[in-house]
PDB file of all heavy atoms in Angstrom:
ATOM      1  N   GLU Q 368     -51.602 -36.673  44.694  1.00  0.00           N
ATOM      2  CA  GLU Q 368     -51.532 -38.132  44.897  1.00  0.00           C
ATOM      3  C   GLU Q 368     -50.096 -38.526  45.352  1.00  0.00           C
ATOM      4  O   GLU Q 368     -49.958 -39.330  46.227  1.00  0.00           O
ATOM      5  CB  GLU Q 368     -51.950 -38.881  43.692  1.00  0.00           C
ATOM      6  CG  GLU Q 368     -53.422 -38.863  43.326  1.00  0.00           C
ATOM      7  CD  GLU Q 368     -53.792 -37.610  42.517  1.00  0.00           C
ATOM      8  OE1 GLU Q 368     -53.051 -36.660  42.485  1.00  0.00           O
ATOM      9  OE2 GLU Q 368     -54.927 -37.649  41.944  1.00  0.00           O
ATOM     10  N   ILE Q 369     -49.065 -37.946  44.739  1.00  0.00           N
ATOM     11  CA  ILE Q 369     -47.732 -38.258  45.091  1.00  0.00           C
ATOM     12  C   ILE Q 369     -47.483 -37.832  46.559  1.00  0.00           C
ATOM     13  O   ILE Q 369     -46.825 -38.530  47.300  1.00  0.00           O
ATOM     14  CB  ILE Q 369     -46.740 -37.576  44.113  1.00  0.00           C
ATOM     15  CG1 ILE Q 369     -46.798 -38.285  42.754  1.00  0.00           C
ATOM     16  CG2 ILE Q 369     -45.285 -37.626  44.647  1.00  0.00           C
ATOM     17  CD1 ILE Q 369     -45.931 -37.707  41.649  1.00  0.00           C
ATOM     18  N   LEU Q 370     -48.015 -36.653  46.863  1.00  0.00           N
ATOM     19  CA  LEU Q 370     -47.843 -36.136  48.247  1.00  0.00           C
ATOM     20  C   LEU Q 370     -48.536 -37.045  49.258  1.00  0.00           C
ATOM     21  O   LEU Q 370     -47.890 -37.458  50.263  1.00  0.00           O
ATOM     22  CB  LEU Q 370     -48.466 -34.770  48.319  1.00  0.00           C
ATOM     23  CG  LEU Q 370     -48.432 -34.107  49.708  1.00  0.00           C
ATOM     24  CD1 LEU Q 370     -47.016 -33.841  50.194  1.00  0.00           C
ATOM     25  CD2 LEU Q 370     -49.266 -32.760  49.728  1.00  0.00           C
ATOM     26  N   GLN Q 371     -49.672 -37.501  48.918  1.00  0.00           N
ATOM     27  CA  GLN Q 371     -50.440 -38.355  49.819  1.00  0.00           C
ATOM     28  C   GLN Q 371     -49.724 -39.682  50.045  1.00  0.00           C
ATOM     29  O   GLN Q 371     -49.523 -40.116  51.173  1.00  0.00           O
ATOM     30  CB  GLN Q 371     -51.841 -38.588  49.217  1.00  0.00           C
ATOM     31  CG  GLN Q 371     -52.901 -39.027  50.195  1.00  0.00           C
ATOM     32  CD  GLN Q 371     -53.091 -40.503  50.172  1.00  0.00           C
ATOM     33  OE1 GLN Q 371     -52.933 -41.085  49.096  1.00  0.00           O
ATOM     34  NE2 GLN Q 371     -53.394 -41.093  51.331  1.00  0.00           N
ATOM     35  N   LEU Q 372     -49.188 -40.264  48.987  1.00  0.00           N
ATOM     36  CA  LEU Q 372     -48.443 -41.480  49.022  1.00  0.00           C
ATOM     37  C   LEU Q 372     -47.183 -41.351  49.854  1.00  0.00           C
ATOM     38  O   LEU Q 372     -46.806 -42.192  50.702  1.00  0.00           O
ATOM     39  CB  LEU Q 372     -48.188 -41.975  47.607  1.00  0.00           C
ATOM     40  CG  LEU Q 372     -47.757 -43.419  47.377  1.00  0.00           C
ATOM     41  CD1 LEU Q 372     -48.783 -44.353  47.972  1.00  0.00           C
ATOM     42  CD2 LEU Q 372     -47.537 -43.720  45.897  1.00  0.00           C
ATOM     43  N   THR Q 373     -46.478 -40.238  49.559  1.00  0.00           N
ATOM     44  CA  THR Q 373     -45.206 -40.020  50.275  1.00  0.00           C
ATOM     45  C   THR Q 373     -45.501 -39.822  51.760  1.00  0.00           C
ATOM     46  O   THR Q 373     -44.741 -40.421  52.576  1.00  0.00           O
ATOM     47  CB  THR Q 373     -44.565 -38.663  49.712  1.00  0.00           C
ATOM     48  OG1 THR Q 373     -44.404 -38.820  48.325  1.00  0.00           O
ATOM     49  CG2 THR Q 373     -43.306 -38.313  50.382  1.00  0.00           C
ATOM     50  N   GLN Q 374     -46.520 -39.182  52.122  1.00  0.00           N
ATOM     51  CA  GLN Q 374     -46.846 -39.019  53.543  1.00  0.00           C
ATOM     52  C   GLN Q 374     -47.290 -40.271  54.175  1.00  0.00           C
ATOM     53  O   GLN Q 374     -46.967 -40.516  55.389  1.00  0.00           O
ATOM     54  CB  GLN Q 374     -47.888 -37.874  53.700  1.00  0.00           C
ATOM     55  CG  GLN Q 374     -47.368 -36.485  53.414  1.00  0.00           C
ATOM     56  CD  GLN Q 374     -48.331 -35.422  53.604  1.00  0.00           C
ATOM     57  OE1 GLN Q 374     -49.519 -35.609  53.510  1.00  0.00           O
ATOM     58  NE2 GLN Q 374     -47.824 -34.242  53.924  1.00  0.00           N
ATOM     59  N   GLN Q 375     -48.017 -41.067  53.371  1.00  0.00           N
ATOM     60  CA  GLN Q 375     -48.462 -42.385  53.925  1.00  0.00           C
ATOM     61  C   GLN Q 375     -47.245 -43.214  54.351  1.00  0.00           C
ATOM     62  O   GLN Q 375     -47.385 -43.956  55.393  1.00  0.00           O
ATOM     63  CB  GLN Q 375     -49.200 -43.125  52.834  1.00  0.00           C
ATOM     64  CG  GLN Q 375     -49.978 -44.367  53.122  1.00  0.00           C
ATOM     65  CD  GLN Q 375     -50.519 -45.001  51.882  1.00  0.00           C
ATOM     66  OE1 GLN Q 375     -51.044 -44.255  51.045  1.00  0.00           O
ATOM     67  NE2 GLN Q 375     -50.338 -46.291  51.735  1.00  0.00           N
ATOM     68  N   TYR Q 376     -46.125 -43.031  53.726  1.00  0.00           N
ATOM     69  CA  TYR Q 376     -44.943 -43.885  54.109  1.00  0.00           C
ATOM     70  C   TYR Q 376     -43.999 -43.013  54.949  1.00  0.00           C
ATOM     71  O   TYR Q 376     -42.811 -43.406  55.135  1.00  0.00           O
ATOM     72  CB  TYR Q 376     -44.238 -44.361  52.830  1.00  0.00           C
ATOM     73  CG  TYR Q 376     -44.985 -45.533  52.218  1.00  0.00           C
ATOM     74  CD1 TYR Q 376     -46.006 -45.332  51.317  1.00  0.00           C
ATOM     75  CD2 TYR Q 376     -44.649 -46.819  52.586  1.00  0.00           C
ATOM     76  CE1 TYR Q 376     -46.702 -46.379  50.778  1.00  0.00           C
ATOM     77  CE2 TYR Q 376     -45.324 -47.883  52.098  1.00  0.00           C
ATOM     78  CZ  TYR Q 376     -46.330 -47.677  51.147  1.00  0.00           C
ATOM     79  OH  TYR Q 376     -47.033 -48.768  50.686  1.00  0.00           O
ATOM     80  N   GLY Q 377     -44.413 -41.845  55.395  1.00  0.00           N
ATOM     81  CA  GLY Q 377     -43.591 -41.006  56.341  1.00  0.00           C
ATOM     82  C   GLY Q 377     -42.524 -40.296  55.569  1.00  0.00           C
ATOM     83  O   GLY Q 377     -41.567 -39.776  56.259  1.00  0.00           O
ATOM     84  N   GLY Q 378     -42.613 -40.163  54.264  1.00  0.00           N
ATOM     85  CA  GLY Q 378     -41.552 -39.422  53.506  1.00  0.00           C
ATOM     86  C   GLY Q 378     -41.833 -37.946  53.366  1.00  0.00           C
ATOM     87  O   GLY Q 378     -42.843 -37.439  53.937  1.00  0.00           O
ATOM     88  N   HIS Q 379     -40.884 -37.258  52.829  1.00  0.00           N
ATOM     89  CA  HIS Q 379     -40.928 -35.766  52.657  1.00  0.00           C
ATOM     90  C   HIS Q 379     -40.920 -35.393  51.147  1.00  0.00           C
ATOM     91  O   HIS Q 379     -39.990 -35.882  50.477  1.00  0.00           O
ATOM     92  CB  HIS Q 379     -39.785 -35.083  53.342  1.00  0.00           C
ATOM     93  CG  HIS Q 379     -39.691 -35.452  54.791  1.00  0.00           C
ATOM     94  ND1 HIS Q 379     -39.293 -36.712  55.251  1.00  0.00           N
ATOM     95  CD2 HIS Q 379     -39.963 -34.767  55.948  1.00  0.00           C
ATOM     96  CE1 HIS Q 379     -39.333 -36.696  56.574  1.00  0.00           C
ATOM     97  NE2 HIS Q 379     -39.760 -35.534  56.991  1.00  0.00           N
ATOM     98  N   LEU Q 380     -41.865 -34.587  50.704  1.00  0.00           N
ATOM     99  CA  LEU Q 380     -41.905 -34.272  49.286  1.00  0.00           C
ATOM    100  C   LEU Q 380     -41.187 -32.962  48.917  1.00  0.00           C
ATOM    101  O   LEU Q 380     -41.429 -31.937  49.656  1.00  0.00           O
ATOM    102  CB  LEU Q 380     -43.341 -34.210  48.751  1.00  0.00           C
ATOM    103  CG  LEU Q 380     -43.543 -33.931  47.269  1.00  0.00           C
ATOM    104  CD1 LEU Q 380     -43.026 -35.108  46.464  1.00  0.00           C
ATOM    105  CD2 LEU Q 380     -45.014 -33.720  46.962  1.00  0.00           C
TER     106      LEU Q 380
END
Side-chain angles (χ1 to χ4, degrees):
E368 287 86 344
I369 290 177
L370 176 67
Q371 201 262 326
L372 195 58
T373 302
Q374 288 184 331
Q375 189 183 317
Y376 284 87
H379 303 71
L380 184 65

